[in-house]
Amino acid sequence: MPYNPMFVNGRKSPVDASEIPGTANSSHRSRPASPEKKIPESPLEESANKPTLSKCKFYTTFIFAVVALSSFSALLFLVPFIVDPALATLTSDFIENPIECKVVHSKYTLGASNCSWSSCREGCTRDIFDCHQILIEYTPLPEDLSMVTIQQKNNAETKIRAALFVNIKGCGYPPTVQCASWISEYGTNETTIPCHYSRSNSS
C-alpha cells in the first residue's frame, strides 16, 4: 500500500488546510494592494509656490488701498462742491418759479475791506480783492408776505431789497460760472431780470 500522509495506521490524519496549495487558507492567498503613498512636494516646489501667494496678497492689498484712497479723495471733493451747495439750496427754500426782479444797484468795487460779499466770483477758496455787488428789489408772492417787515408793510408797495448771487454760494468755476458774461446779462442798473428769492433768507 502506497504511503499517504493523510492515513496513519489506517486512519485519516487531519491536515492543516493552509499547507495544501490552492486552498482558501493557503499561505499563497492574495492580499489587497496597499494604497500608494503620496510623494511629498520637494522643497523647490514649495519655495516656488510661496512667491506666487505673496504676490497675490500684495496686489490685493494694493488694489484695496488705491480704491479706498480714491473714494476718500472723491468724498473730499464732493462735500464742498456738490453736497454742501445742495444742502444749502434745500434749507434756503427758494421759490420754484422765477419772478420779476429790478436791479437797483450794480457796482464794481476794489479793496478787500469793501468786498465782504460778491454777487459772482470765479473760485470759491481764493481771497477776493475786487468784487461786483448787485442789489435787486422784488415783490414776494402773496403766500410769502409774512416775511415782510412792519416797516416795509407801511410802504405803498411791498418790496424787498436783497443781494443777487449767481448761485447759492455766490461762486463757482468755469465753464459753469463765468462772471463776466453773467454780470453783463444781470448786472445792468434799472433793468428787470428773472430771479428766485429765498423764503428763509430775505437778504
Side-chain angles (χ1 to χ4, degrees):
M1 179 177 181
Y3 174 74
N4 190 336
M6 296 184 62
F7 291 92
V8 180
N9 298 328
R11 297 180 182 179
K12 187 175 182 180
S13 174
V15 179
D16 189 358
S18 62
E19 296 179 359
I20 303 175
T23 60
N25 296 327
S26 172
S27 59
H28 299 284
R29 60 188 176 182
S30 61
R31 296 180 180 178
S34 58
E36 296 182 357
K37 294 183 179 180
K38 186 178 180 179
I39 301 175
E41 294 182 353
S42 63
L44 293 177
E45 293 178 350
E46 292 181 358
S47 61
N49 293 332
K50 286 182 179 179
T52 303
L53 184 60
S54 300
K55 286 182 180 179
C56 292
K57 290 182 179 180
F58 170 77
Y59 286 119
T60 303
T61 305
F62 178 76
I63 291 173
F64 277 110
V66 170
V67 171
L69 184 61
S70 302
S71 302
F72 182 73
S73 302
L75 181 62
L76 292 179
F77 176 80
L78 291 176
V79 167
F81 295 105
I82 297 179
V83 178
D84 188 34
L87 293 177
T89 302
L90 293 176
T91 56
S92 297
D93 191 17
F94 287 98
I95 60 173
E96 183 177 357
N97 298 317
I99 61 171
E100 288 187 352
C101 299
K102 183 180 180 180
V103 179
V104 296
H105 176 80
S106 178
K107 184 180 180 181
Y108 177 74
T109 305
L110 292 174
S113 59
N114 299 323
C115 293
S116 59
W117 63 276
S118 178
S119 293
C120 181
R121 60 191 178 103
E122 295 179 1
C124 297
T125 57
R126 67 179 180 88
D127 297 330
I128 54 175
F129 300 96
D130 61 328
C131 58
H132 204 115
Q133 299 173 341
I134 303 173
L135 295 177
I136 52 97
E137 279 185 353
Y138 65 91
T139 301
L141 298 175
E143 60 268 23
D144 298 328
L145 289 177
S146 59
M147 68 181 185
V148 180
T149 62
I150 297 176
Q151 183 178 0
Q152 290 170 329
K153 286 182 179 180
N154 294 333
N155 297 333
E157 293 183 1
T158 305
K159 291 185 179 295
I160 295 179
R161 180 172 290 196
L164 180 68
F165 294 98
V166 64
N167 52 33
I168 186 63
K169 305 294 287 185
C171 62
Y173 295 89
T176 304
V177 174
Q178 295 182 349
C179 292
S181 59
W182 182 82
I183 291 171
S184 64
E185 183 176 358
Y186 297 99
T188 305
N189 285 311
E190 302 301 323
T191 58
T192 302
I193 60 172
C195 67
H196 301 258
Y197 66 84
S198 170
R199 293 187 176 97
S200 61
N201 184 9
S202 59
S203 60

